[in-house]
């Protein structure tokens, strides 16, 4: 397929296009994906009622999307290198919009889960490919600023999503929430056609088909086995069988990846300390955070009796806090460095996550908003730092593989967070007699996921004091002293 060349802009305008326009285009995809996720989270109880399902069963709608991301993200980098970033980005937007339409037309849990999986196929391509374009277009020194600038417009989605989803669900029909993706996707297609360069590699290694099949089957089977456990959505033997088959396939992939020259997921990247700690430690932190979109709306609506609009007007505070912190993240990282920020901030962010479990129906909304707003600030700082740290020492040649591996880990951790949160909620509900969900069922789940996120600090504490200094701009005190002594020892020019 021959694509038209992007519009050529001269001089200073070209510099603006590279540093600002490209992130804005990719932000269309991020905005659409983040708005969609937060809108659905707010509307889960009403969707469950409309489909005649248990609200906890709707965890499948969240996990199926995340599993689809994990399945198809590994080949997103290869497809962008092979067929061109612009081509794949536009195709992904089309698939995501088609999935949105199918979601709106669903009349059963199975159809809804399948439509969400289709959406995930599009999301797996559009966001990682867009991020790859940005990472290949900026220098190491510009990386933190570019990633922050990229996500600031995209964070408007989570801010707008909960109130918008609550308003539509309360006063109209939940099916309309999926149609808001269509105009946004069309804007993204037009802008990427005009301004994206069709970045591709000249010599692309063959696709690791066997590795893709093993990883796809492994991730999908493991997560669906875990997600279908509990409320007897399928026979328990099927859930256990899926989980064990998934583990076996992932172990087989690990052996396979060590034998082939170009595996679909390059596990050798874990030899880079900053990448290994950023991905593994970041995944542990995200596991706890991933439960929030599932637990919080259910607690506010089913536990506290709020309607979707009231719930959305409270839950948006987390995204507002994240939006505020994005403007400060670069300064904080430059002042204190990755190690100190990510270690301390992991504990602070987790504490505010667990604090949500202390809410009761009588808690003033102002206190809820304050806790969620401050917690959102800490979580945003952690995500910005983790994302930048993970790519700090990765070469441009390995950037495609690094973005794929990091994105897979991110989606799996979010999916695991939903699953763990649901298991904890089910266990607390069963302990209280298995009645309808009540406010007292939620606090154990928040405490458990908060402790999981807090444990990520053990990984962050392993970072070297000067880890990622080229990206953060932070100079450790020891290096400052060495520099000062070297300047003092210099002889004056004659």
């Amino acid at each position: 397929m021959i694509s038209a060349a992007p519009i050529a802009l001269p001089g200073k305008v070209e510099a603006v296009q590279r540093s600002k326009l490209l992130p804005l285009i990719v932000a269309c995809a991020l905005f659409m994906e983040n708005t969609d996720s937060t809108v659905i989270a707010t509307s889960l109880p009403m969707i469950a009622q409309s489909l005649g399902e248990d609200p906890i069963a709707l965890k499948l709608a969240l996990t199926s999307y995340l599993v689809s991301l994990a399945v198809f993200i590994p080949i997103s980098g290869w497809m962008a290198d092979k067929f061109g970033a612009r081509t794949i980005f536009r195709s992904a937007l089309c698939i995501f919009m088609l999935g949105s339409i199918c979601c709106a037309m669903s009349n059963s849990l199975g159809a809804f889960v399948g439509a969400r999986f289709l959406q995930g196929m599009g999301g797996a391509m559009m966001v990682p490919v867009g991020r790859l374009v940005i990472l290949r277009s900026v220098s190491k020194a510009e990386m933190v600023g570019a990633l922050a600038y990229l996500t600031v417009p995209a964070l408007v989605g989570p801010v707008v999503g909960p109130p918008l989803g609550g308003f539509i669900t309360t006063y109209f029909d939940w099916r309309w929430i999926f149609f808001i993706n269509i105009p946004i996707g069309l804007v993204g297609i037009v802008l990427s056609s005009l301004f994206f360069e069709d970045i591709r590699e000249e010599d692309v290694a063959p696709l690791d088909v066997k590795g893709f099949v093993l990883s796809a089957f492994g991730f999908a089977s493991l997560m669906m086995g875990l997600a279908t456990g509990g409320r007897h959505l399928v026979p328990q033997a099927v859930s256990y069988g899926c989980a064990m088959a998934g583990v076996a396939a992932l172990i087989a992939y690990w052996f396979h990846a060590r034998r082939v020259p170009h595996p679909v997921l390059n596990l050798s990247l874990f030899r880079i300390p900053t990448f290994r700690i950023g991905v593994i430690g970041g995944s542990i932190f995200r596991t706890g955070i991933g439960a929030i979109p599932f637990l919080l709306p259910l607690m506010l609506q089913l536990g506290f009796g709020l309607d979707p609009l009231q719930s959305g007007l409270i839950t948006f505070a987390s995204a507002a806090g994240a939006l505020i912190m994005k403007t400060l993240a670069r300064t904080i990282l430059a002042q204190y460095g990755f190690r100190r920020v990510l270690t301390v901030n992991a504990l602070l962010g987790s504490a505010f996550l667990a604090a949500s479990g202390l809410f009761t129906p009588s808690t003033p909304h102002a206190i809820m908003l304050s806790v969620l707003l401050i917690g959102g600030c800490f979580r945003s700082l952690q995500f910005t730092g983790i994302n930048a740290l993970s790519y700090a020492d990765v070469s441009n040649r390995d950037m495609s593989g690094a973005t794929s591996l990091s994105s897979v880990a991110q989606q799996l951790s979010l999916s695991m967070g939903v699953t763990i949160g649901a298991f904890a909620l089910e266990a607390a509900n069963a302990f209280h007699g298995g009645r309808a969900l009540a406010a007292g069922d939620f606090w154990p789940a928040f405490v458990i996921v908060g402790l999981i996120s807090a444990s990520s600090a053990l990984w962050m504490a392993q970072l070297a004091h000067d880890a990622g200094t080229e990206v953060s701009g932070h100079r450790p005190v020891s290096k400052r002293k060495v520099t000062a002594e070297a300047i003092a020892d210099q002889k004056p020019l004659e």
Side-chain angles (χ1 to χ4, degrees), residues 172-183:
F172 297 96
D173 188 277
W174 62 266
R175 300 178 189 278
W176 285 100
I177 65 179
F178 293 99
F179 290 116
I180 62 179
N181 294 328
I182 307 306

Side-chain angles (χ1 to χ4, degrees), residues 2 23 32 69 96 105 142 162 174 187 192 195 222 261 272 276 285 366 380 383 386 390 398 405 428 463 474:
I2 300 176
M32 182 167 63
L69 291 177
F96 191 90
M105 299 174 65
E142 297 173 315
W174 62 266
V187 170
S192 60
F195 299 108
L222 174 61
I272 303 173
R276 179 177 64 253
F285 184 78
S380 175
F383 290 151
I386 289 169
S390 299
D398 292 327
L405 185 55
L463 288 168
H474 172 70

Side-chain angles (χ1 to χ4, degrees), residues 153-364:
L155 282 171
V156 174
V159 174
V160 174
L164 178 62
F167 177 79
I168 293 174
T169 304
T170 302
Y171 296 105
F172 297 96
D173 188 277
W174 62 266
R175 300 178 189 278
W176 285 100
I177 65 179
F178 293 99
F179 290 116
I180 62 179
N181 294 328
I182 307 306
I184 302 170
L186 292 174
V187 170
I189 291 173
V190 172
L191 292 178
S192 60
S193 299
L194 293 175
F195 299 108
F196 254 35
E197 291 186 23
D198 211 19
I199 300 173
R200 68 180 72 196
E201 294 294 323
E202 295 295 331
D203 185 18
V204 182
L207 177 64
D208 176 21
V209 177
K210 182 178 180 181
F212 171 66
V213 172
L214 285 173
S215 64
F217 178 78
F219 291 140
S221 296
L222 174 61
M223 294 312 305
M224 294 309 293
L226 295 175
T228 54
R231 296 262 164 158
H232 307 294
L233 299 172
V234 297
Q236 288 296 305
V238 175
S239 295
Y240 296 146
C242 285
M244 289 188 291
V247 171
L250 293 177
I251 293 174
Y253 175 79
W254 183 74
F255 284 106
H256 166 79
R258 300 176 65 185
R259 296 194 303 267
V260 298
H262 302 289
V264 68
L265 288 174
N266 186 6
L267 302 181
S268 66
L269 290 170
F270 283 122
R271 296 171 185 169
I272 303 173
T274 50
F275 182 80
R276 179 177 64 253
I277 294 174
V279 171
I280 297 178
S283 296
I284 295 172
F285 184 78
R286 282 191 177 92
T287 296
I289 303 304
I292 295 178
F294 176 75
L295 292 175
L296 194 56
L298 288 182
M299 181 177 72
L300 294 175
Q301 294 179 46
L302 301 182
F304 297 177
L306 302 181
D307 63 39
L309 179 58
Q310 294 171 320
S311 172
L313 289 173
I314 292 175
T315 57
F316 94 100
S318 293
L323 188 61
I324 294 170
M325 179 53 70
K326 285 298 180 183
T327 61
L328 304 173
R330 185 172 187 176
T331 302
I332 295 173
L333 289 170
Q335 179 68 31
Y336 300 105
F338 282 114
R339 183 178 186 271
R340 188 184 303 178
V341 170
L342 295 181
T343 302
V344 175
N345 196 66
L347 298 175
L348 293 173
S350 302
F352 276 88
L353 166 59
S356 299
L358 300 177
F359 295 160
T360 68
S362 60
T363 302

